[in-house]
Amino acid sequence: MDFDALFDAELDSLRADGNYRIFAELERKCGAFPKARSFDEDAPDEVTVWCSNDYLGMGQHPKVMTAMQDAIAAHGCGAGGTRNISGNTHQHRLLEAELADLHGKDAALLFTSGYVSNWAALSTLGSKLPDAVILSDEKNHASMIEGIRHSKADKVIWKHNDPEDLDRKLAALPSNATKIVAFESVYSMDGDICPMEEIIEVAEKHGAMTYLDEVHAVGMYGQRGGGVSEELGLAHRITLIEGTLGKAYGVVGGYITGSVALCDFIRSFASGFIFTTALPPAVAAAARTSIAHLKESGIERARQRQQVAKLRRRLDALGIPHLPNPSHIIPVMIKDPVKCRQLADILMQDFGIYVQPINYPTVPKGTERLRFTPGPLHSDEDIERLVQALSTLWKRCAIAHAVA
Ligand SMILES: Cc1ncc(COP(=O)(O)O)c(C=O)c1O
């Protein structure tokens, strides 16, 4: 059997649809972020990154780097085992305490990524709770969808950000069902934010557990970076808050927070927690430092909001359409996978601007986009260079008529 021919056939169909993924090979420049060295022969040596999820530049914050370097010097590189078998270190426990405090919960549990935390927590809840039914927002992230699928629990999809639809679907469930409502605060591709209070009220009315993914909100929203649930004063009404250490906190890893019993339950039954090497202690130390810093400091968030507002204003002034939303994410809709790729290539090669085209399956077909995430370290000149480049392209490619 020619297995490569099978692989190639699948890849060819991806290419034919314009959805084949090409990674940019970059090296971030410490101290100069969002500048990065590009290894792409057709692009300038230095490019400006406009699509990073290191939203606040914490990945190169001196305090965070020092914490990681000191921890490596003190404890070495890897954890050396699973949390159960010799990999449970003091740094992990300290980080879990920091995370529980961040969300005002009694306990937290670390995972190797946000993806794994969603996958492991939802698959465990769905498979171990009696008569579990998971009600999932239709735009939930792949990690939640996969976790739910793996749990084999009954799944009900409710309309995106629609508490009334959720209400109807909860009402239709049998009274013995253990109901779990899974949703996100900031949806990362459209940048919209859920009606959290209404969703909680509906869930409470039906005695359902709430499972909230705050991956794109932690570090970014709330007085101490506790996410949208902190900003709205609702964290205490959410059963489980899940987040990442890899985006605004600039490191890597994922977590859940909730009651002691909930975290102990996931700790004790989740295969994705039990059977994998723990995060390196130095990663835990760096993440804790980043969280602690953003609990105290609002400077990064304030400057980031300023730059987001500035980019939106400049796009409006130049007539470049972008999805309106209340978050830090600026999607410029292209609605065609091939054009989206072409525009991204020209931006990179002619202007040294790196923005990854967002195509299917990350977003539905026909909604392809360039997704900009301005940060506190983008200068006004960076913004001006970006909008001028987009404006030139809009005219040059005459695509204006094809975008909404
Ligand atoms: C909503 C959402 N949840 C979870 C994840 C996974 O987080 P991580 O990147 O830490 O694996 C992502 C990643 O982009 C996400 O967008």
Short mmCIF file of all heavy atoms in Angstrom, two decimals, residues 53 113-116 118 141 143-144 184 186 188 213 215-216 242-247 253-254, ligand 1:
data_model
loop_
_atom_site.label_atom_id
_atom_site.label_comp_id
_atom_site.label_asym_id
_atom_site.label_seq_id
_atom_site.Cartn_x
_atom_site.Cartn_y
_atom_site.Cartn_z
N ASN A 53 -0.61 35.79 20.15
CA ASN A 53 -1.49 35.67 21.32
C ASN A 53 -0.72 35.97 22.61
O ASN A 53 -1.28 35.84 23.70
CB ASN A 53 -2.12 34.30 21.38
CG ASN A 53 -3.27 34.16 20.40
OD1 ASN A 53 -3.81 35.16 19.91
ND2 ASN A 53 -3.64 32.93 20.10
N SER A 113 -1.37 22.26 28.68
CA SER A 113 -1.81 23.34 27.79
C SER A 113 -3.28 23.62 28.06
O SER A 113 -3.97 22.83 28.72
CB SER A 113 -1.63 22.95 26.32
OG SER A 113 -2.61 21.99 25.95
N GLY A 114 -3.75 24.75 27.52
CA GLY A 114 -5.18 25.04 27.62
C GLY A 114 -5.99 24.00 26.87
O GLY A 114 -7.07 23.61 27.31
N TYR A 115 -5.47 23.55 25.74
CA TYR A 115 -6.16 22.52 24.96
C TYR A 115 -6.37 21.28 25.82
O TYR A 115 -7.48 20.74 25.92
CB TYR A 115 -5.34 22.17 23.70
CG TYR A 115 -6.05 21.23 22.76
CD1 TYR A 115 -6.64 21.70 21.60
CD2 TYR A 115 -6.15 19.86 23.05
CE1 TYR A 115 -7.32 20.84 20.73
CE2 TYR A 115 -6.82 19.00 22.19
CZ TYR A 115 -7.40 19.49 21.04
OH TYR A 115 -8.07 18.64 20.20
N VAL A 116 -5.30 20.84 26.47
CA VAL A 116 -5.38 19.62 27.27
C VAL A 116 -6.32 19.83 28.46
O VAL A 116 -7.07 18.93 28.84
CB VAL A 116 -3.97 19.18 27.73
CG1 VAL A 116 -4.04 18.01 28.70
CG2 VAL A 116 -3.11 18.80 26.52
N ASN A 118 -9.03 21.70 28.67
CA ASN A 118 -10.42 21.56 28.21
C ASN A 118 -10.74 20.11 27.85
O ASN A 118 -11.78 19.58 28.23
CB ASN A 118 -10.64 22.42 26.95
CG ASN A 118 -11.08 23.83 27.29
OD1 ASN A 118 -11.66 24.08 28.34
ND2 ASN A 118 -10.79 24.75 26.39
N HIS A 141 -14.41 26.22 21.19
CA HIS A 141 -13.10 25.85 20.65
C HIS A 141 -12.98 24.33 20.45
O HIS A 141 -13.61 23.54 21.17
CB HIS A 141 -12.01 26.32 21.62
CG HIS A 141 -10.62 26.15 21.13
ND1 HIS A 141 -9.78 25.16 21.59
CD2 HIS A 141 -9.93 26.83 20.19
CE1 HIS A 141 -8.61 25.27 20.97
NE2 HIS A 141 -8.67 26.28 20.12
N SER A 143 -10.83 22.27 21.36
CA SER A 143 -10.43 21.50 22.55
C SER A 143 -11.65 21.10 23.39
O SER A 143 -11.67 20.03 24.00
CB SER A 143 -9.45 22.30 23.40
OG SER A 143 -9.99 23.58 23.72
N MET A 144 -12.66 21.97 23.41
CA MET A 144 -13.88 21.64 24.16
C MET A 144 -14.68 20.60 23.37
O MET A 144 -15.18 19.62 23.93
CB MET A 144 -14.72 22.90 24.40
CG MET A 144 -13.96 23.94 25.21
SD MET A 144 -14.76 25.55 25.20
CE MET A 144 -15.82 25.39 26.59
N GLU A 184 -17.49 30.06 26.25
CA GLU A 184 -16.28 30.88 26.37
C GLU A 184 -16.67 32.31 26.73
O GLU A 184 -17.80 32.72 26.48
CB GLU A 184 -15.52 30.89 25.04
CG GLU A 184 -15.11 29.51 24.55
CD GLU A 184 -14.38 29.54 23.20
OE1 GLU A 184 -13.86 30.61 22.82
OE2 GLU A 184 -14.36 28.49 22.54
N VAL A 186 -14.41 35.31 25.80
CA VAL A 186 -14.04 36.00 24.56
C VAL A 186 -13.84 34.94 23.46
O VAL A 186 -13.02 34.03 23.62
CB VAL A 186 -12.72 36.78 24.73
CG1 VAL A 186 -12.30 37.43 23.42
CG2 VAL A 186 -12.84 37.82 25.84
N SER A 188 -12.32 33.87 20.17
CA SER A 188 -11.07 34.45 19.68
C SER A 188 -11.06 34.80 18.21
O SER A 188 -10.22 35.55 17.77
CB SER A 188 -9.93 33.49 19.96
OG SER A 188 -10.05 32.36 19.13
N ASP A 213 -14.60 28.86 29.56
CA ASP A 213 -13.25 28.98 29.00
C ASP A 213 -12.91 30.47 28.92
O ASP A 213 -13.56 31.22 28.19
CB ASP A 213 -13.25 28.33 27.60
CG ASP A 213 -11.94 28.49 26.84
OD1 ASP A 213 -11.38 29.60 26.86
OD2 ASP A 213 -11.50 27.53 26.20
N VAL A 215 -9.79 31.52 28.16
CA VAL A 215 -8.43 31.48 27.58
C VAL A 215 -7.99 32.82 26.99
O VAL A 215 -6.85 33.25 27.16
CB VAL A 215 -8.36 30.33 26.55
CG1 VAL A 215 -7.24 30.53 25.55
CG2 VAL A 215 -8.19 28.99 27.28
N HIS A 216 -8.90 33.47 26.26
CA HIS A 216 -8.50 34.74 25.61
C HIS A 216 -8.78 35.95 26.50
O HIS A 216 -8.66 37.09 26.03
CB HIS A 216 -9.19 34.88 24.25
CG HIS A 216 -8.67 33.87 23.28
ND1 HIS A 216 -7.55 34.09 22.51
CD2 HIS A 216 -9.07 32.60 23.02
CE1 HIS A 216 -7.29 33.01 21.78
NE2 HIS A 216 -8.20 32.09 22.08
N GLU A 242 -11.74 27.84 33.24
CA GLU A 242 -10.56 27.25 32.59
C GLU A 242 -9.77 28.36 31.92
O GLU A 242 -10.35 29.35 31.44
CB GLU A 242 -11.04 26.21 31.56
CG GLU A 242 -9.94 25.46 30.83
CD GLU A 242 -9.47 26.15 29.56
OE1 GLU A 242 -10.17 27.07 29.07
OE2 GLU A 242 -8.39 25.80 29.07
N GLY A 243 -8.44 28.21 31.91
CA GLY A 243 -7.63 29.25 31.26
C GLY A 243 -6.31 28.71 30.76
O GLY A 243 -6.01 27.51 30.87
N THR A 244 -5.53 29.61 30.18
CA THR A 244 -4.22 29.24 29.64
C THR A 244 -3.13 30.11 30.25
O THR A 244 -3.39 31.24 30.68
CB THR A 244 -4.19 29.39 28.10
OG1 THR A 244 -2.93 28.92 27.61
CG2 THR A 244 -4.33 30.83 27.66
N LEU A 245 -1.92 29.57 30.26
CA LEU A 245 -0.75 30.35 30.67
C LEU A 245 0.04 30.77 29.44
O LEU A 245 1.08 31.40 29.54
CB LEU A 245 0.12 29.51 31.60
CG LEU A 245 -0.64 28.93 32.80
CD1 LEU A 245 0.21 27.91 33.56
CD2 LEU A 245 -1.07 30.06 33.74
N GLY A 246 -0.47 30.40 28.25
CA GLY A 246 0.29 30.56 27.02
C GLY A 246 -0.04 31.80 26.21
O GLY A 246 0.62 32.06 25.21
N LYS A 247 -1.05 32.53 26.60
CA LYS A 247 -1.42 33.70 25.78
C LYS A 247 -1.03 34.97 26.55
O LYS A 247 0.14 35.32 26.56
CB LYS A 247 -2.88 33.60 25.37
CG LYS A 247 -3.14 32.29 24.58
CD LYS A 247 -4.44 32.25 23.88
CE LYS A 247 -4.80 30.84 23.39
NZ LYS A 247 -3.99 30.33 22.30
N GLY A 253 0.98 26.35 29.14
CA GLY A 253 0.29 25.56 30.16
C GLY A 253 -1.18 25.93 30.20
O GLY A 253 -1.59 26.94 29.62
N GLY A 254 -1.95 25.09 30.87
CA GLY A 254 -3.38 25.37 31.01
C GLY A 254 -3.82 25.01 32.41
O GLY A 254 -3.05 24.40 33.18
C1 LIG B 1 -10.91 29.22 23.31
C2 LIG B 1 -9.65 28.46 23.43
N1 LIG B 1 -9.56 27.52 24.40
C3 LIG B 1 -8.43 26.80 24.56
C4 LIG B 1 -7.35 26.99 23.73
C5 LIG B 1 -6.12 26.16 23.94
O1 LIG B 1 -5.20 26.87 24.73
P1 LIG B 1 -3.63 26.54 24.60
O2 LIG B 1 -3.14 27.33 23.43
O3 LIG B 1 -3.06 26.95 25.91
O4 LIG B 1 -3.53 25.08 24.35
C6 LIG B 1 -7.39 27.94 22.72
C7 LIG B 1 -6.21 28.16 21.85
O5 LIG B 1 -6.14 29.00 21.01
C8 LIG B 1 -8.58 28.70 22.56
O6 LIG B 1 -8.68 29.60 21.59
#
